Amino acid sequence: MNRRHCATAAITLVCALALLTSTVQAMAAPVPDPSPSPSASSPAGSTPRYSNAELEKVREQIETLYRKAGAATDAYNLAEEQTKKQSGEIVKLAKAIVDGQARIAALKDRAGAQAREQYRNGGLPPGAQLALSNDPKLFLDGINKVRQSQQASKSLLSDLNQTQQDLETYTQDASINWEKLEANRVKQAKAKKKINAQIKAAEKLESQLEKKERERLRQLEQDAANQAQTAWLSSGAIKDVSGEASEAGAAAVAFATSQIGKPYVWGAEGPGSYDCSGLTSQAWLAAKRPIPRTSQEQWRLLPRIDIQDMRPGDLIIYHADASHVGMYVGDGAIVHAPRPGRNVTLAGAGSMKILGVVRPDK
């Protein structure tokens, strides 16, 4: 980003943390203000502005911001998905109302036709006229036709009344769904606003770092991930994990790994970029198994399994708020879209806090 190259050395970690505090509630206290160099980039061999400990605090704050933004993104995506479904329901209701009105019109026409026919016959239906015949056979036939006519009339009126009641119910449902739709639109706007604010805060924090500091920051991220993965493997978490991918799971893994190198973009579902759940949902769609769009809905709706039973293609949900997801590919690794500024990549399955595992094709 151009503004990253324009960042001056006068912007210190205190400013970065002050920005964080003004954007979201920061838990860490500001660190001492290191002496900035007079230029935008430190001369070769000069002392770095930030110690590793100070840079680690920046890393933690940036990670927190992106996690919060990830949760807000899921809320936005879910609201958008629900709005689309509700729009479809409203279209169905509108069609049902039109069909119901046509049905009522047809029933009224039939009732009118019966009334006109009886009027032409002196107020008596054809069956009643036959019932007055002196011929015994015609008399019995007439009685049956009178009963049939009466039953048809009752059925016609009952059908008409039921259709009218259904029409009223459809109208009420349409109104309720319209209200939900409007509420979801408001929710989308709020979620989107929250996402934008958190993304800008995280991007600004990172842009304030010099090139070498950003490189050190990236190394700190990798070191933290490696330490978490090592601890996870050492715990014996996947000691007995040996499941083989199902046919659909193998197809999902093949799709997901073929996206490695493509950038993370909020809300993206491919083909050029993805967010975390956009990648997993599209991978399983490619395997002809549609799943919920967001990581939170994937966690809520898909069957859960024990870590010891997982196999390639299963989805690992991360963090207490289910704000991140990756696809297990075997050998203790996942493929995932990490965060803005990073590309789809392979990582250790235990490099983040695991909430649980779900299986799309169980």
Side-chain angles (χ1 to χ4, degrees):
M1 295 175 59
N2 291 334
R3 60 178 179 174
R4 294 183 180 179
H5 298 296
C6 298
T8 63
I11 302 176
T12 66
L13 183 59
V14 171
C15 296
L17 292 176
L19 167 68
L20 175 63
T21 303
S22 65
T23 308
V24 295
Q25 293 181 346
M27 301 304 296
V31 298
D33 182 8
S35 300
S37 60
S39 63
S41 59
S42 300
S46 65
T47 302
R49 295 185 308 164
Y50 304 144
S51 67
N52 278 354
E54 292 166 341
L55 204 56
E56 174 63 17
K57 290 184 178 180
V58 173
R59 183 195 70 78
E60 291 173 355
Q61 299 300 336
I62 289 176
E63 181 180 312
T64 297
L65 281 170
Y66 279 127
R67 277 190 54 196
K68 288 180 178 291
T73 298
D74 258 10
Y76 173 79
N77 290 339
L78 178 58
E80 185 177 47
E81 184 179 23
Q82 290 174 336
T83 299
K84 288 180 181 179
K85 288 181 179 179
Q86 288 176 5
S87 296
E89 287 301 313
I90 289 173
V91 170
K92 291 179 182 178
L93 287 170
K95 184 179 184 301
I97 289 173
V98 172
D99 291 345
Q101 290 172 336
R103 176 70 172 150
I104 288 175
L107 290 173
K108 285 182 177 179
D109 287 344
R110 286 174 56 190
Q114 284 186 354
R116 288 191 296 272
E117 180 67 19
Q118 290 183 13
Y119 177 78
R120 285 194 295 269
N121 291 311
L124 294 174
Q129 294 181 31
L130 289 173
L132 298 176
S133 171
N134 291 325
D135 187 323
K137 185 175 183 304
L138 289 178
F139 176 80
L140 293 175
D141 288 343
I143 291 296
N144 289 332
K145 288 184 178 180
V146 168
R147 289 174 178 171
Q148 291 173 1
S149 178
Q150 290 174 339
Q151 291 174 352
S153 296
K154 289 180 180 179
S155 176
L156 184 64
L157 290 174
S158 176
D159 201 0
L160 178 59
N161 289 332
Q162 184 60 52
T163 302
Q164 289 174 325
Q165 291 174 8
D166 290 344
L167 182 57
E168 292 175 0
T169 300
Y170 290 148
T171 304
Q172 292 173 358
D173 289 345
S175 299
I176 292 172
N177 276 278
W178 271 113
E179 292 174 1
K180 290 181 178 179
L181 178 60
E182 291 304 315
N184 266 329
R185 284 177 178 171
V186 172
K187 182 178 180 180
Q188 285 183 38
K190 290 181 178 179
K192 189 66 175 175
K193 184 177 180 180
K194 182 178 181 180
I195 292 168
N196 289 337
Q198 292 177 338
I199 290 174
K200 288 179 181 178
E203 287 178 343
K204 190 167 185 178
L205 275 173
E206 198 164 357
S207 72
Q208 291 168 353
L209 302 174
E210 296 176 358
K211 181 179 179 181
K212 288 185 177 180
E213 289 168 339
R214 288 196 296 272
E215 291 175 353
R216 286 167 56 209
L217 178 66
R218 191 157 192 160
Q219 186 59 51
L220 287 173
E221 290 178 358
Q222 188 59 54
D223 290 345
N226 290 342
Q227 289 175 8
Q229 175 72 357
T230 299
W232 185 64
L233 293 176
S234 299
S235 71
I238 60 171
K239 180 180 179 181
D240 299 322
V241 174
S242 59
E244 295 184 0
S246 64
E247 182 177 350
V253 168
F255 178 93
T257 53
S258 70
Q259 309 310 308
I260 290 176
K262 294 183 178 180
Y264 182 111
V265 173
W266 297 112
E269 299 178 82
S273 58
Y274 297 89
D275 65 11
C276 65
S277 57
L279 176 65
T280 54
S281 60
Q282 287 300 306
W284 274 100
L285 183 62
K288 304 188 186 306
R289 293 294 184 97
I291 63 173
R293 168 62 177 83
T294 69
S295 60
Q296 292 170 344
E297 288 296 278
Q298 289 169 6
W299 174 244
R300 187 174 73 88
L301 298 175
L302 296 178
R304 300 178 186 181
I305 62 170
D306 292 333
I307 289 179
Q308 291 80 6
D309 297 327
M310 68 181 177
R311 64 193 187 195
D314 290 342
L315 305 182
I316 302 181
I317 310 298
Y318 293 96
H319 310 306
D321 56 2
S323 58
H324 191 72
V325 59
M327 179 177 291
Y328 186 65
V329 296
D331 297 325
I334 60 168
V335 58
H336 74 142
R339 68 167 179 85
R342 303 291 184 261
N343 298 330
V344 176
T345 187
L346 290 173
S351 58
M352 297 167 283
K353 181 68 174 179
I354 294 176
L355 178 62
V357 182
V358 296
R359 176 165 294 166
D361 61 339
K362 185 174 181 180

PDB file of all heavy atoms in Angstrom, residues 237-258:
ATOM      1  N   ALA A 237      -2.496 -34.772  20.482  1.00  0.00           N
ATOM      2  CA  ALA A 237      -3.853 -34.518  19.994  1.00  0.00           C
ATOM      3  C   ALA A 237      -4.212 -35.337  18.760  1.00  0.00           C
ATOM      4  O   ALA A 237      -5.356 -35.747  18.594  1.00  0.00           O
ATOM      5  CB  ALA A 237      -4.023 -33.028  19.694  1.00  0.00           C
ATOM      6  N   ILE A 238      -3.216 -35.583  17.887  1.00  0.00           N
ATOM      7  CA  ILE A 238      -3.534 -36.329  16.664  1.00  0.00           C
ATOM      8  C   ILE A 238      -2.763 -37.651  16.595  1.00  0.00           C
ATOM      9  O   ILE A 238      -2.525 -38.183  15.510  1.00  0.00           O
ATOM     10  CB  ILE A 238      -3.251 -35.489  15.406  1.00  0.00           C
ATOM     11  CG1 ILE A 238      -1.774 -35.089  15.342  1.00  0.00           C
ATOM     12  CG2 ILE A 238      -4.153 -34.268  15.357  1.00  0.00           C
ATOM     13  CD1 ILE A 238      -1.395 -34.458  14.015  1.00  0.00           C
ATOM     14  N   LYS A 239      -2.423 -38.156  17.762  1.00  0.00           N
ATOM     15  CA  LYS A 239      -1.663 -39.403  17.817  1.00  0.00           C
ATOM     16  C   LYS A 239      -2.364 -40.534  17.084  1.00  0.00           C
ATOM     17  O   LYS A 239      -1.727 -41.325  16.382  1.00  0.00           O
ATOM     18  CB  LYS A 239      -1.428 -39.790  19.277  1.00  0.00           C
ATOM     19  CG  LYS A 239      -0.641 -41.082  19.471  1.00  0.00           C
ATOM     20  CD  LYS A 239      -0.458 -41.397  20.946  1.00  0.00           C
ATOM     21  CE  LYS A 239       0.296 -42.707  21.134  1.00  0.00           C
ATOM     22  NZ  LYS A 239       0.460 -43.048  22.575  1.00  0.00           N
ATOM     23  N   ASP A 240      -3.676 -40.611  17.243  1.00  0.00           N
ATOM     24  CA  ASP A 240      -4.431 -41.718  16.629  1.00  0.00           C
ATOM     25  C   ASP A 240      -5.243 -41.271  15.417  1.00  0.00           C
ATOM     26  O   ASP A 240      -6.124 -42.000  14.954  1.00  0.00           O
ATOM     27  CB  ASP A 240      -5.373 -42.329  17.673  1.00  0.00           C
ATOM     28  CG  ASP A 240      -4.621 -42.902  18.861  1.00  0.00           C
ATOM     29  OD1 ASP A 240      -3.537 -43.484  18.632  1.00  0.00           O
ATOM     30  OD2 ASP A 240      -5.107 -42.757  20.003  1.00  0.00           O
ATOM     31  N   VAL A 241      -4.955 -40.093  14.885  1.00  0.00           N
ATOM     32  CA  VAL A 241      -5.699 -39.608  13.718  1.00  0.00           C
ATOM     33  C   VAL A 241      -5.127 -40.254  12.461  1.00  0.00           C
ATOM     34  O   VAL A 241      -3.971 -40.057  12.112  1.00  0.00           O
ATOM     35  CB  VAL A 241      -5.620 -38.066  13.596  1.00  0.00           C
ATOM     36  CG1 VAL A 241      -6.277 -37.607  12.309  1.00  0.00           C
ATOM     37  CG2 VAL A 241      -6.288 -37.419  14.797  1.00  0.00           C
ATOM     38  N   SER A 242      -5.940 -41.056  11.802  1.00  0.00           N
ATOM     39  CA  SER A 242      -5.460 -41.756  10.603  1.00  0.00           C
ATOM     40  C   SER A 242      -6.558 -41.953   9.565  1.00  0.00           C
ATOM     41  O   SER A 242      -6.434 -42.767   8.666  1.00  0.00           O
ATOM     42  CB  SER A 242      -4.888 -43.125  10.985  1.00  0.00           C
ATOM     43  OG  SER A 242      -5.888 -43.914  11.637  1.00  0.00           O
ATOM     44  N   GLY A 243      -7.665 -41.186   9.717  1.00  0.00           N
ATOM     45  CA  GLY A 243      -8.775 -41.364   8.792  1.00  0.00           C
ATOM     46  C   GLY A 243      -8.432 -40.945   7.376  1.00  0.00           C
ATOM     47  O   GLY A 243      -7.651 -40.017   7.157  1.00  0.00           O
ATOM     48  N   GLU A 244      -8.991 -41.658   6.415  1.00  0.00           N
ATOM     49  CA  GLU A 244      -8.788 -41.328   5.009  1.00  0.00           C
ATOM     50  C   GLU A 244      -9.952 -40.492   4.501  1.00  0.00           C
ATOM     51  O   GLU A 244     -11.097 -40.648   4.944  1.00  0.00           O
ATOM     52  CB  GLU A 244      -8.658 -42.611   4.173  1.00  0.00           C
ATOM     53  CG  GLU A 244      -7.423 -43.442   4.514  1.00  0.00           C
ATOM     54  CD  GLU A 244      -7.279 -44.647   3.599  1.00  0.00           C
ATOM     55  OE1 GLU A 244      -8.152 -44.801   2.707  1.00  0.00           O
ATOM     56  OE2 GLU A 244      -6.325 -45.412   3.778  1.00  0.00           O
ATOM     57  N   ALA A 245      -9.656 -39.621   3.572  1.00  0.00           N
ATOM     58  CA  ALA A 245     -10.681 -38.734   3.024  1.00  0.00           C
ATOM     59  C   ALA A 245     -11.740 -39.523   2.270  1.00  0.00           C
ATOM     60  O   ALA A 245     -11.444 -40.525   1.606  1.00  0.00           O
ATOM     61  CB  ALA A 245     -10.044 -37.705   2.099  1.00  0.00           C
ATOM     62  N   SER A 246     -12.983 -39.078   2.384  1.00  0.00           N
ATOM     63  CA  SER A 246     -14.046 -39.635   1.557  1.00  0.00           C
ATOM     64  C   SER A 246     -13.841 -39.131   0.125  1.00  0.00           C
ATOM     65  O   SER A 246     -12.998 -38.256  -0.126  1.00  0.00           O
ATOM     66  CB  SER A 246     -15.410 -39.172   2.074  1.00  0.00           C
ATOM     67  OG  SER A 246     -15.524 -37.759   1.955  1.00  0.00           O
ATOM     68  N   GLU A 247     -14.621 -39.645  -0.799  1.00  0.00           N
ATOM     69  CA  GLU A 247     -14.491 -39.190  -2.184  1.00  0.00           C
ATOM     70  C   GLU A 247     -14.775 -37.690  -2.286  1.00  0.00           C
ATOM     71  O   GLU A 247     -14.046 -36.942  -2.941  1.00  0.00           O
ATOM     72  CB  GLU A 247     -15.456 -39.968  -3.070  1.00  0.00           C
ATOM     73  CG  GLU A 247     -15.356 -39.600  -4.554  1.00  0.00           C
ATOM     74  CD  GLU A 247     -16.272 -40.434  -5.427  1.00  0.00           C
ATOM     75  OE1 GLU A 247     -16.849 -41.422  -4.925  1.00  0.00           O
ATOM     76  OE2 GLU A 247     -16.433 -40.090  -6.614  1.00  0.00           O
ATOM     77  N   ALA A 248     -15.847 -37.258  -1.600  1.00  0.00           N
ATOM     78  CA  ALA A 248     -16.191 -35.835  -1.620  1.00  0.00           C
ATOM     79  C   ALA A 248     -15.130 -35.016  -0.882  1.00  0.00           C
ATOM     80  O   ALA A 248     -14.763 -33.917  -1.318  1.00  0.00           O
ATOM     81  CB  ALA A 248     -17.561 -35.613  -0.986  1.00  0.00           C
ATOM     82  N   GLY A 249     -14.628 -35.550   0.241  1.00  0.00           N
ATOM     83  CA  GLY A 249     -13.603 -34.850   0.997  1.00  0.00           C
ATOM     84  C   GLY A 249     -12.333 -34.649   0.190  1.00  0.00           C
ATOM     85  O   GLY A 249     -11.709 -33.588   0.245  1.00  0.00           O
ATOM     86  N   ALA A 250     -11.950 -35.664  -0.572  1.00  0.00           N
ATOM     87  CA  ALA A 250     -10.755 -35.563  -1.411  1.00  0.00           C
ATOM     88  C   ALA A 250     -10.942 -34.495  -2.480  1.00  0.00           C
ATOM     89  O   ALA A 250     -10.005 -33.738  -2.794  1.00  0.00           O
ATOM     90  CB  ALA A 250     -10.457 -36.914  -2.062  1.00  0.00           C
ATOM     91  N   ALA A 251     -12.159 -34.407  -3.028  1.00  0.00           N
ATOM     92  CA  ALA A 251     -12.442 -33.386  -4.037  1.00  0.00           C
ATOM     93  C   ALA A 251     -12.375 -31.986  -3.420  1.00  0.00           C
ATOM     94  O   ALA A 251     -11.857 -31.047  -4.038  1.00  0.00           O
ATOM     95  CB  ALA A 251     -13.817 -33.630  -4.657  1.00  0.00           C
ATOM     96  N   ALA A 252     -12.887 -31.859  -2.188  1.00  0.00           N
ATOM     97  CA  ALA A 252     -12.849 -30.563  -1.495  1.00  0.00           C
ATOM     98  C   ALA A 252     -11.406 -30.146  -1.199  1.00  0.00           C
ATOM     99  O   ALA A 252     -11.034 -28.983  -1.380  1.00  0.00           O
ATOM    100  CB  ALA A 252     -13.655 -30.628  -0.206  1.00  0.00           C
ATOM    101  N   VAL A 253     -10.598 -31.092  -0.753  1.00  0.00           N
ATOM    102  CA  VAL A 253      -9.189 -30.808  -0.461  1.00  0.00           C
ATOM    103  C   VAL A 253      -8.460 -30.394  -1.742  1.00  0.00           C
ATOM    104  O   VAL A 253      -7.658 -29.440  -1.748  1.00  0.00           O
ATOM    105  CB  VAL A 253      -8.501 -32.024   0.176  1.00  0.00           C
ATOM    106  CG1 VAL A 253      -6.982 -31.827   0.214  1.00  0.00           C
ATOM    107  CG2 VAL A 253      -9.031 -32.254   1.583  1.00  0.00           C
ATOM    108  N   ALA A 254      -8.736 -31.102  -2.834  1.00  0.00           N
ATOM    109  CA  ALA A 254      -8.080 -30.788  -4.106  1.00  0.00           C
ATOM    110  C   ALA A 254      -8.411 -29.365  -4.548  1.00  0.00           C
ATOM    111  O   ALA A 254      -7.541 -28.624  -5.015  1.00  0.00           O
ATOM    112  CB  ALA A 254      -8.513 -31.788  -5.174  1.00  0.00           C
ATOM    113  N   PHE A 255      -9.675 -28.973  -4.366  1.00  0.00           N
ATOM    114  CA  PHE A 255     -10.070 -27.614  -4.743  1.00  0.00           C
ATOM    115  C   PHE A 255      -9.371 -26.595  -3.852  1.00  0.00           C
ATOM    116  O   PHE A 255      -8.804 -25.610  -4.341  1.00  0.00           O
ATOM    117  CB  PHE A 255     -11.579 -27.448  -4.633  1.00  0.00           C
ATOM    118  CG  PHE A 255     -12.053 -26.055  -4.971  1.00  0.00           C
ATOM    119  CD1 PHE A 255     -12.445 -25.735  -6.263  1.00  0.00           C
ATOM    120  CD2 PHE A 255     -12.092 -25.060  -4.006  1.00  0.00           C
ATOM    121  CE1 PHE A 255     -12.867 -24.452  -6.587  1.00  0.00           C
ATOM    122  CE2 PHE A 255     -12.520 -23.767  -4.317  1.00  0.00           C
ATOM    123  CZ  PHE A 255     -12.908 -23.469  -5.615  1.00  0.00           C
ATOM    124  N   ALA A 256      -9.433 -26.814  -2.543  1.00  0.00           N
ATOM    125  CA  ALA A 256      -8.876 -25.840  -1.599  1.00  0.00           C
ATOM    126  C   ALA A 256      -7.372 -25.656  -1.800  1.00  0.00           C
ATOM    127  O   ALA A 256      -6.868 -24.525  -1.804  1.00  0.00           O
ATOM    128  CB  ALA A 256      -9.176 -26.272  -0.167  1.00  0.00           C
ATOM    129  N   THR A 257      -6.632 -26.743  -1.965  1.00  0.00           N
ATOM    130  CA  THR A 257      -5.176 -26.634  -2.124  1.00  0.00           C
ATOM    131  C   THR A 257      -4.806 -25.992  -3.463  1.00  0.00           C
ATOM    132  O   THR A 257      -3.739 -25.387  -3.578  1.00  0.00           O
ATOM    133  CB  THR A 257      -4.513 -28.013  -2.001  1.00  0.00           C
ATOM    134  OG1 THR A 257      -5.139 -28.937  -2.904  1.00  0.00           O
ATOM    135  CG2 THR A 257      -4.623 -28.541  -0.581  1.00  0.00           C
ATOM    136  N   SER A 258      -5.687 -26.107  -4.450  1.00  0.00           N
ATOM    137  CA  SER A 258      -5.400 -25.479  -5.744  1.00  0.00           C
ATOM    138  C   SER A 258      -5.532 -23.959  -5.674  1.00  0.00           C
ATOM    139  O   SER A 258      -5.136 -23.257  -6.602  1.00  0.00           O
ATOM    140  CB  SER A 258      -6.330 -26.038  -6.828  1.00  0.00           C
ATOM    141  OG  SER A 258      -7.667 -25.609  -6.630  1.00  0.00           O
TER     142      SER A 258
END
